[in-house]
Amino acid sequence: MIIQPKIVRNVCLTAHPKGCAQGVKEQIEWVSGRPASGITPQRVLVIGGSTGYGLASRITAAFWGHADTVGISFEREPSEKKTGTPGWYNNRAFDAAAEQRGLKAVTIEGDAFSHEVKQRTIDVLKHDIGKVDAVIYSLASPMRTDPDTGETYMSVIKPIGMPYTGYSVDMMTEKISLTTIDPATKQQIASTVKVMGGEDWMLWMQALLEAGVLSPGAVTAAYSYIGPEITFPLYREGTIGRAKEDLEQKARKIHTMLSEIGGSAYVSVNKALVTRASAVIPVVPLYISILYKVMKKKGLHEGCIEQIYRLFCERLFTGNDVPVDEQGRIRIDDYEMRDDVQAETADLWKSIENQDLHAISDIKGYRSEYFQLHGFEFPGVNYDEDTDPMSIN
Ligand code: NAD
């Protein structure tokens, strides 16, 4: 079939196998052979490792640090008539590249929230990979079924206490509109914390510790976001912000729990980037488009792989103490949050209504990156060619 992007409300429903493989290849090429510092982990588990920050973490661990890796993700496989999800193709491309480099790579596709996937992972670590030195937790999910009660919780992106009105952009039509989002109910706040907070990360670390599959001194990190004041009511002070606060609290608990093996736990605050998860948050794609314009102009732009390389090389695995802020968090959002970057972004944000979108933002760059996440718009790929959605070469 001819595989083209099919986008509905900022969500792409198709993915191109060859383009996804090209995206993985480009990240591998970028990170391979970059200078190492300190001691790199030799066996790494990445939970949520098929796209976005998690994929970049797995690629950095393997192709910068030469680690054997286990990646967990939730993906839809392709059929003859329907493409798989990008992560499904990314996983195959990653596994093939790792094998070529002589690295062990085990990919487990299933629900990371379930007991079953945790047990499968432990079995793989015990029998095939060995104890892990690092665990990266990079899940972004709209829902979670509690494995003990069977109850399903949905996460929502909503303000708390009062409605929020802000600008959003449709990336295809480039139409800007003012969107009002009603405040979350108490139940929605609690559900979002249940899905995107730290409970499942803690369950993973407990299970891995109890099973004896963490190396002495093992490190774990989960990803968070703070962002600018314009997104505060919806993000940091909204339902998802509550979940991130919970994640940060759980990091402290996990840190204490790991002390028996000399291990540590961190939350890393990362930069706003185009991923499948961030594209569906109102306001955020428009903010990212403006931020990209400012950061590219200043030569500060980074994608997932650049961010994670900096996290591994300059923060987590230097052989020295991990640098953290006053709340114990690693900050690789430092360039995004620089005063000059934020001031220019805020100025451009104020002119949204009376300026041409292309003049104030990098909407083109945003859209192109989003397409590439799904395997589209890579110059070397022939998109007019008949392609088997089930092929992975
Ligand atoms: P993403 O959508 O690209 O990746 C999410 C991953 O989670 C995928 O591998 C997916 O398969 C996996 N996943 C989802 N549900 C699962 C399930 N039930 N079982 C197993 N795997 C499952 O998202 P992302 O943007 O890379 O987000 C990863 C983390 O980084 C999130 O915690 C997010 O809040 C954080 N973060 C993102 C940004 C950003 O701008 N994108 C910025 C800072 C922090």
Side-chain angles (χ1 to χ4, degrees), residues 9 20 43 51 53 107 120 166 171 199 289 296 336 387:
R9 272 180 257 113
C20 288
R43 284 165 303 276
T51 53
Y53 274 119
T107 293
R120 260 167 71 195
M171 84 174 121
E199 188 178 84
S289 303
K296 283 182 182 173
E336 172 182 358
T387 304

Side-chain angles (χ1 to χ4, degrees), residues 48 50-51 53 74-75 110-112 138-140 224 244 271 273 275:
S50 62
T51 53
Y53 274 119
F74 194 78
E75 303 300 337
D111 182 7
S138 186
L139 280 194
S224 187
K244 293 301 185 189
K271 173 196 184 214
L273 275 177
T275 65

Side-chain angles (χ1 to χ4, degrees), residues 338-384:
R338 248 171 55 170
D339 288 346
D340 58 323
V341 171
Q342 281 305 313
E344 282 185 43
T345 306
D347 275 351
L348 291 173
W349 186 266
K350 280 184 210 139
S351 60
I352 284 173
E353 276 202 348
N354 41 32
Q355 287 267 14
D356 172 42
L357 184 61
H358 291 269
I360 61 159
S361 80
D362 182 28
I363 185 75
K364 249 179 94 190
Y366 179 94
R367 191 170 44 227
S368 163
E369 244 185 64
Y370 185 78
F371 272 65
Q372 289 200 340
L373 292 181
H374 297 83
F376 298 107
E377 291 201 358
F378 282 100
V381 176
N382 179 0
Y383 294 101
D384 298 324

Side-chain angles (χ1 to χ4, degrees), residues 251-296:
R252 291 188 272 277
K253 287 194 175 165
I254 296 170
H255 198 80
T256 309
M257 187 174 89
L258 295 184
S259 62
E260 70 180 71
I261 56 157
S264 40
Y266 297 97
V267 159
S268 170
V269 182
N270 299 356
K271 173 196 184 214
L273 275 177
V274 183
T275 65
R276 278 159 61 82
S278 66
V280 294
I281 306 178
V283 186
V284 167
L286 184 55
Y287 165 72
I288 294 179
S289 303
I290 296 177
L291 179 75
Y292 271 27
K293 176 106 181 168
V294 174
M295 292 188 78
K296 283 182 182 173

Side-chain angles (χ1 to χ4, degrees), residues 47-51 71-77 85-88 91 107-114 117 139-143 276:
I47 303 158
S50 62
T51 53
I72 316 291
S73 54
F74 194 78
E75 303 300 337
R76 185 191 67 228
E77 59 181 90
T85 46
W88 192 89
N91 283 341
T107 293
I108 297 175
E109 283 159 351
D111 182 7
F113 297 125
S114 68
V117 164
L139 280 194
S141 174
M143 60 187 279
R276 278 159 61 82

Side-chain angles (χ1 to χ4, degrees), residues 85-134:
T85 46
W88 192 89
Y89 297 117
N90 293 344
N91 283 341
R92 268 88 206 144
F94 177 93
D95 288 351
E99 194 188 328
Q100 242 181 24
R101 290 275 176 103
L103 299 167
K104 280 191 194 170
V106 178
T107 293
I108 297 175
E109 283 159 351
D111 182 7
F113 297 125
S114 68
H115 289 314
E116 189 243 329
V117 164
K118 289 183 178 72
Q119 192 52 53
R120 260 167 71 195
T121 307
I122 287 167
D123 292 344
V124 162
L125 295 178
K126 278 189 173 163
H127 303 300
D128 302 327
I129 300 286
K131 295 184 183 201
V132 282
D133 311 316

Side-chain angles (χ1 to χ4, degrees), residues 84-210:
T85 46
W88 192 89
Y89 297 117
N90 293 344
N91 283 341
R92 268 88 206 144
F94 177 93
D95 288 351
E99 194 188 328
Q100 242 181 24
R101 290 275 176 103
L103 299 167
K104 280 191 194 170
V106 178
T107 293
I108 297 175
E109 283 159 351
D111 182 7
F113 297 125
S114 68
H115 289 314
E116 189 243 329
V117 164
K118 289 183 178 72
Q119 192 52 53
R120 260 167 71 195
T121 307
I122 287 167
D123 292 344
V124 162
L125 295 178
K126 278 189 173 163
H127 303 300
D128 302 327
I129 300 286
K131 295 184 183 201
V132 282
D133 311 316
V135 178
I136 302 295
Y137 188 85
S138 186
L139 280 194
S141 174
M143 60 187 279
R144 171 179 173 217
T145 299
D146 185 305
D148 291 325
T149 63
E151 197 171 334
T152 298
Y153 299 86
M154 309 297 290
S155 75
V156 296
I157 296 161
K158 287 190 166 193
I160 293 174
M162 59 178 84
Y164 170 75
T165 301
Y167 293 108
S168 279
V169 67
D170 180 313
M171 84 174 121
M172 297 310 290
T173 61
E174 298 185 359
K175 198 169 164 269
I176 292 182
S177 53
L178 269 178
T179 318
T180 298
I181 303 159
D182 287 332
T185 61
K186 275 196 176 137
Q187 200 181 0
Q188 286 174 322
I189 300 169
S191 294
T192 306
V193 171
K194 192 90 181 159
V195 180
M196 286 298 287
E199 188 178 84
D200 181 62
W201 182 27
M202 182 124 184
L203 289 175
W204 266 100
M205 297 315 296
Q206 260 163 358
L208 297 169
L209 184 66
E210 276 165 25

